[in-house]
Amino acid sequence: MNLIHIRLPEKVLEMQKIITGLPLVDSSSIKAIESEIDAIGVMPIDSKEFSKLDPCQRVGRSAKVSVGKKRKLDDGASSASDSSVDYREGEERPAFMDAHVSSNKKIAELTNTVKKEVIEMIETMGVIKLYIQLNIPQIEDGNNFGVEIQEEAVGEISKVEDMAFAMLDGINKYFILRGKLVSKVLRYPKIKDYKESIRELDGKRYVRLKMACVDIRNSYMTLHDIITKNEEKIRKPRGESEDAMTTMY
């Protein structure tokens, strides 16, 4: 039972340490990304000068490019000789393909921390859940109070597992949504609402990541409380003298 009596309290302290080091809203991190977002929408430059810029300097810029004159095809359709995109000679072309917008570094770091903790929690819950399930006795009439406690504990673990998988899904959805908003800013740099939406998304995501740490800590505390208070019923639900699985973990 070392996993329950030693490891769970250790995880509670570890998560509390992480939570204590996080402010409620990380305004400095959100402020740091604003300069990059606001830089999008710079006036276009010549294609030769554009090619000399590093990817970070190309964000939101446009390059004046020259494309071949259109020629008539046999079927009457027109085509450019050196480009499949319909740009006229000297026309400005958005540099979407060369743009580079980094993720919010603070949120990315915290995301990696939370992801690591979530995966560890899923593994821990799986081991404890298996331990309890292997101690469930054969179904009989009467004297099933201990079995009901075991089933209640397994149900609580299942809820924690569902919460953990939902956290992992949220990580993927955040980056997909942020990527779409960034592409909107690149395409429409003069629309300030898209830039504001990125700031709001980052702020909301930071709060959710901190609350995820709180939920992980609380889950460890709740599970430890339930199991330790009902340890005898979980190990020996019908009061048998046999104790085959108590030394497993």
Side-chain angles (χ1 to χ4, degrees):
M1 299 289 284
N2 288 341
L3 181 62
I4 295 171
H5 291 290
I6 298 177
R7 187 54 182 161
L8 292 189
E10 287 179 349
K11 291 304 300 181
V12 171
L13 295 177
E14 290 177 12
M15 295 308 303
Q16 182 60 36
K17 184 177 180 180
I18 294 175
I19 295 168
T20 304
L22 296 174
L24 181 60
V25 178
D26 187 28
S27 57
S28 61
S29 176
I30 299 171
K31 193 73 176 178
I33 201 75
E34 287 184 7
S35 59
E36 183 176 345
I37 296 174
D38 289 333
I40 299 174
V42 183
M43 294 299 292
I45 60 175
D46 183 75
S47 59
K48 292 183 180 179
E49 296 180 8
F50 181 84
S51 63
K52 296 178 183 179
L53 298 176
D54 60 56
C56 293
Q57 293 175 314
R58 298 182 185 184
V59 175
R61 291 179 178 266
S62 298
K64 292 182 178 179
V65 297
S66 297
V67 297
K69 295 182 178 180
K70 294 182 178 180
R71 59 183 178 84
K72 292 287 184 179
L73 299 178
D74 294 338
D75 58 358
S78 60
S79 174
S81 59
D82 61 349
S83 176
S84 60
V85 182
D86 187 12
Y87 288 106
R88 295 180 181 178
E89 187 173 358
E91 186 177 0
E92 296 174 4
R93 180 184 64 179
F96 302 139
M97 302 297 290
D98 299 292
H100 174 77
V101 180
S102 62
S103 300
N104 189 310
K105 294 182 180 179
K106 188 72 174 182
I107 293 179
E109 292 174 359
L110 183 55
T111 297
N112 290 334
T113 300
V114 171
K115 184 177 179 180
K116 175 185 175 183
E117 295 295 337
V118 169
I119 293 175
E120 182 178 351
M121 184 172 67
I122 291 174
E123 294 175 349
T124 302
M125 295 302 106
V127 173
I128 297 176
K129 185 177 181 180
L130 177 63
Y131 165 74
I132 296 175
Q133 288 175 328
L134 290 176
N135 277 283
I136 296 177
Q138 181 180 356
I139 299 175
E140 296 178 1
D141 294 332
N143 195 21
N144 288 320
F145 180 68
V147 177
E148 293 177 0
I149 294 177
Q150 289 177 320
E151 293 175 347
E152 182 70 20
V154 170
E156 288 296 324
I157 294 174
S158 297
K159 291 179 182 178
V160 173
E161 289 176 328
D162 292 340
M163 179 192 71
F165 285 115
M167 289 179 183
L168 293 179
D169 290 339
I171 294 174
N172 183 51
K173 291 177 181 178
Y174 161 75
F175 285 113
I176 291 176
L177 179 56
R178 194 178 194 277
K180 290 180 179 179
L181 290 175
V182 169
S183 67
K184 288 290 187 180
V185 173
L186 290 172
R187 190 172 296 274
Y188 307 108
K190 294 183 180 181
I191 300 179
K192 294 184 178 180
D193 286 344
Y194 285 131
K195 298 178 183 179
E196 290 297 329
S197 66
I198 293 177
R199 296 188 184 100
E200 290 296 326
L201 179 67
D202 287 348
K204 182 173 68 174
R205 185 59 190 167
Y206 195 91
V207 173
R208 286 192 174 184
L209 286 172
K210 180 173 182 179
M211 294 311 300
C213 294
V214 173
D215 289 338
I216 293 173
R217 180 203 63 188
N218 293 347
S219 296
Y220 282 127
M221 292 177 64
T222 301
L223 186 62
H224 178 265
D225 183 65
I226 292 174
I227 294 178
T228 52
K229 286 181 177 178
N230 301 279
E231 185 173 350
E232 286 301 317
K233 287 293 184 182
I234 289 175
R235 289 195 297 111
K236 296 180 287 185
R238 293 202 175 105
E240 298 94 342
S241 58
E242 299 93 322
D243 198 12
M245 297 300 300
T246 54
T247 58
M248 182 176 180
Y249 302 105

